[in-house]
Amino acid sequence: MPVSGRLFWPAVLVCGALGGATGDQLWFYILRGRIHWLDRFSHARKYRDRVIAHVHSHETALVLVSRFLPGLRTAIPVACAYAGVRPLKFSVLNLISAFAWAAAIMAFVKGVRRR
């Protein structure tokens, strides 16, 4: 079979989504239940309840948009771990977000290539 120099875009999309989701999953699962050491710091302890309440009141939206917010890409999974977001909910929403992100990037790349 001759090599045409083209990638099979569905495989690239899936690999990109799974690779992107892995980083967020690692932060979330590594820190889940272990990040309360922050309570030792008075500044963090002062805002703990407010952060937890904010995360829980917006957890679905936070996880879904976190991938599209480069400055908060790591902070949101960490905040979700700190707030005790349910692991199954975080994982499912994170995967949905990862596939939406990969599809958006793929659509952009394919659109640019056609011009």
Side-chain angles (χ1 to χ4, degrees):
M1 173 182 246
V3 176
S4 65
R6 296 180 185 213
L7 296 173
F8 183 57
W9 72 264
V12 172
L13 187 140
V14 170
C15 289
L18 293 177
T22 300
D24 297 337
Q25 297 286 338
L26 286 173
W27 281 116
F28 178 77
Y29 283 101
I30 287 171
L31 295 174
R32 193 171 144 263
R34 295 178 181 91
I35 197 165
H36 291 286
W37 55 266
L38 282 173
D39 291 341
R40 286 188 266 162
F41 302 100
S42 62
H43 189 71
R45 189 174 51 245
K46 178 177 162 184
Y47 294 103
R48 178 178 51 115
D49 293 336
R50 191 183 312 174
V51 168
I52 290 171
H54 185 75
V55 169
H56 281 302
S57 66
H58 303 289
E59 61 188 37
T60 298
L62 278 172
V63 176
L64 289 175
V65 301
S66 67
R67 184 157 322 278
F68 297 93
L69 302 171
L72 300 174
R73 178 81 188 270
T74 303
I76 290 175
V78 170
C80 289
Y82 186 64
V85 172
R86 290 180 297 127
L88 181 60
K89 182 174 186 175
F90 180 84
S91 294
V92 169
L93 291 174
N94 185 45
L95 280 172
I96 290 169
S97 177
F99 276 94
W101 172 79
I105 296 294
M106 187 64 64
F108 176 75
V109 169
K110 286 179 73 66
V112 168
R113 198 182 91 206
R114 288 185 183 161
R115 290 183 186 170

